[in-house]
Amino acid sequence: MRAVILVGGKGTRLRPVTYDIPKALVPLRNQPFMGYMVDFLRSGGLDGAVLSLGYLPDQIQAYFASQDLDGFSIDYAVEDYPLGTAGGIKNAERYLDGGTMVVVNGDVLTGMDLGKAIERHKATDALATITLTSVEDPTAYGLVEVDHEMLVHRFLEKPAYDEISTNLVNAGVYVLEPEVLEMIPADREVSIEREIFPELQAQGRLYAYVSSSYWKDIGTPRSYLAASNDVLSGAVGAREDFEYLDVHPSTQVGKNVKLLPPVSIAEGCEISNGATIGGRSSLGLGCRVGERAVVESSVLLDGAEVEAGAVVRGSIIGPRARVGHGAIVRGMSVLGAGCVVGEGNVLDQGIRVNPGVFVPPRSLSF
Ligand code: GDD
Ligand code: MG
């Protein structure tokens, strides 16, 4: 069985990180997100996937070209313009085998039992089975009302507060019969959540499978940092040989450096005397942390630099960005690629956008 992985979105809620890195490739414990996705699909017994792409497709294709996927086959369906979450599946049709398929949102990190979801789907006359997870605030998701037989009675994308009738939401992992492809008009933007699921529900052919396993949509700075912490802590995706101190042997570590697990440090990093790295941090390729600097619960992307005496807490530092001498960056701040927080400055809950990128007002948010 094959999957369609939807990775055509622009990742607007994870800007400015996603100006340079598609959401599909943001690293968790220094492994691009798609690595976890392939492991997840394999865990469900799938043998290949079609990547439904639109935004920054070259980077995603280059990533897969560099991987040895041990027989897991990959095809690419690239959109000329965004076709939406159902249009993206339709566009992948030529690479599917005409049988039952799995579809996943390409920004969902989960430990759910995919094999069991497929099994449950096959035990019903469903044309589609949506997996569900329980969240505190369903307003950012697709709310799903089910009955005692797991038949879906209502699918409501992004409900308003006064429409919340359940905490169960669409987990972004579906099992679909090929008939669903016939319901999707070709060559126009179609939303599976707003158009196809309500239609399947009306036909009484939409079922649900509830999972209580780990689940997170990594699409905002807050949830990306939380997912990074969880992966570093071994809460999801951990294998038998999991290392809490995942430090590349090339790392240059100065005197009196504190590395507090869990941390992940990629190739070519330099940690100077007296610096502290810990509390669930990951440092990408060639990052530099200066003397007595502190990095805690943060993600430093490739080539980021934290100068002497600076403090970075609970924040995302973009590729080649720099936190100046003695500066403080905290409170879920995000620095875009190449941004600089000057010497001694404080950035608290702030966003700095890459030099040269025009950002329309109010287009950035947590
Ligand atoms: N190919 C393609 N084309 N993919 C797209 C497009 C498109 O036009 N638009 C979005 N995608 C991809 C995104 O890249 C992402 O991986 C996935 O589809 C879902 O899009 P998001 O923009 O992340 O949606 P969301 O998080 O607001 O809501 C969706 O996911 C929730 C679970 O995380 C919905 O499916 C909700 O119902 C669901 O609860
Ligand atoms: Mg999402």
Side-chain angles (χ1 to χ4, degrees):
M1 193 185 297
R2 299 198 88 193
V4 176
I5 311 177
L6 293 167
V7 286
K10 291 191 176 128
T12 47
R13 282 160 294 179
L14 195 49
R15 284 177 180 166
V17 173
T18 44
Y19 280 129
D20 305 85
I21 310 172
K23 193 159 57 169
L25 296 184
V26 293
L28 294 172
R29 197 171 176 265
N30 282 311
Q31 185 182 182
F33 183 61
M34 276 298 115
Y36 297 89
M37 183 57 84
V38 169
D39 288 348
F40 168 64
L41 295 173
R42 268 185 200 284
S43 76
L46 275 72
D47 43 32
V50 188
L51 272 290
S52 176
L53 309 162
Y55 178 66
L56 300 178
D58 300 351
Q59 279 192 42
I60 299 175
Q61 288 180 298
Y63 165 72
F64 279 105
S66 73
Q67 297 299 298
D68 175 7
L69 297 178
D70 193 21
F72 190 86
S73 64
I74 299 283
D75 288 293
Y76 306 99
V78 184
E79 294 160 22
D80 298 330
Y81 58 93
L83 289 170
T85 46
I89 304 168
K90 181 78 176 171
N91 194 43
E93 188 170 7
R94 60 188 177 279
Y95 298 112
L96 296 167
D97 57 12
T100 309
M101 72 199 96
V102 166
V103 172
V104 284
N105 285 347
D107 61 351
V108 160
L109 176 68
T110 179
M112 79 168 67
D113 188 338
L114 178 58
K116 196 170 253 175
I118 297 170
E119 206 177 283
R120 291 280 172 82
H121 169 82
K122 291 197 167 153
T124 65
D125 67 343
L127 285 181
T129 298
I130 322 175
T131 61
L132 308 183
T133 189
S134 174
V135 294
E136 229 158 78
D137 174 11
T139 56
Y141 306 100
L143 178 140
V144 185
E145 290 177 8
V146 289
D147 70 10
H148 60 289
E149 285 176 324
M150 290 296 138
L151 182 65
V152 174
H153 280 243
R154 192 175 187 210
F155 189 103
L156 185 59
E157 184 65 14
K158 310 284 188 299
Y161 277 105
D162 59 4
E163 291 175 310
I164 297 171
S165 51
T166 168
N167 280 1
L168 289 179
V169 299
N170 170 19
V173 177
Y174 322 127
V175 189
L176 306 183
E177 290 305 312
E179 287 88 331
V180 175
L181 292 170
E182 289 157 29
M183 297 168 63
I184 308 171
D187 303 319
R188 77 159 168 91
E189 188 174 347
V190 188
S191 159
I192 196 162
E193 297 88 353
R194 295 177 194 276
E195 298 177 60
I196 308 301
F197 287 154
E199 197 178 326
L200 283 163
Q201 183 275 319
Q203 292 175 14
R205 304 293 297 277
L206 185 63
Y207 283 75
Y209 167 81
V210 184
S211 164
S212 56
S213 301
Y214 181 93
W215 183 88
K216 199 166 284 300
D217 175 321
I218 63 156
T220 66
R222 183 184 298 276
S223 62
Y224 170 51
L225 269 179
S228 170
N229 286 346
D230 293 339
V231 170
L232 285 165
S233 311
V236 64
R239 299 187 184 162
E240 276 303 303
D241 57 352
F242 188 81
E243 292 276 2
Y244 284 92
L245 263 181
D246 170 34
V247 179
H248 194 275
S250 65
T251 311
Q252 291 180 43
V253 183
K255 286 185 205 132
N256 300 320
V257 164
K258 279 194 209 156
L259 297 181
L260 308 175
V263 295
S264 173
I265 301 181
E267 197 173 346
C269 292
E270 218 181 292
I271 322 288
S272 301
N273 298 345
T276 302
I277 312 285
R280 304 166 295 175
S281 291
S282 80
L283 276 57
L285 295 174
C287 290
R288 286 160 62 159
V289 178
E291 291 192 8
R292 297 174 323 284
V294 176
V295 175
E296 218 179 76
S297 228
S298 295
V299 176
L300 271 52
L301 296 167
D302 294 355
E305 191 172 351
V306 179
E307 292 185 346
V311 176
V312 176
R313 283 211 166 89
S315 295
I316 303 167
I317 310 300
R320 304 170 307 285
R322 182 161 58 85
V323 179
H325 197 280
I328 298 175
V329 175
R330 65 183 174 210
M332 209 110 52
S333 293
V334 188
L335 300 193
C339 289
V340 177
V341 173
E343 182 173 340
N345 286 357
V346 177
L347 183 68
D348 190 7
Q349 298 184 23
I351 294 178
R352 288 279 181 281
V353 177
N354 325 15
V357 173
F358 169 73
V359 183
R362 288 195 294 280
S363 67
L364 298 173
S365 69
F366 288 106

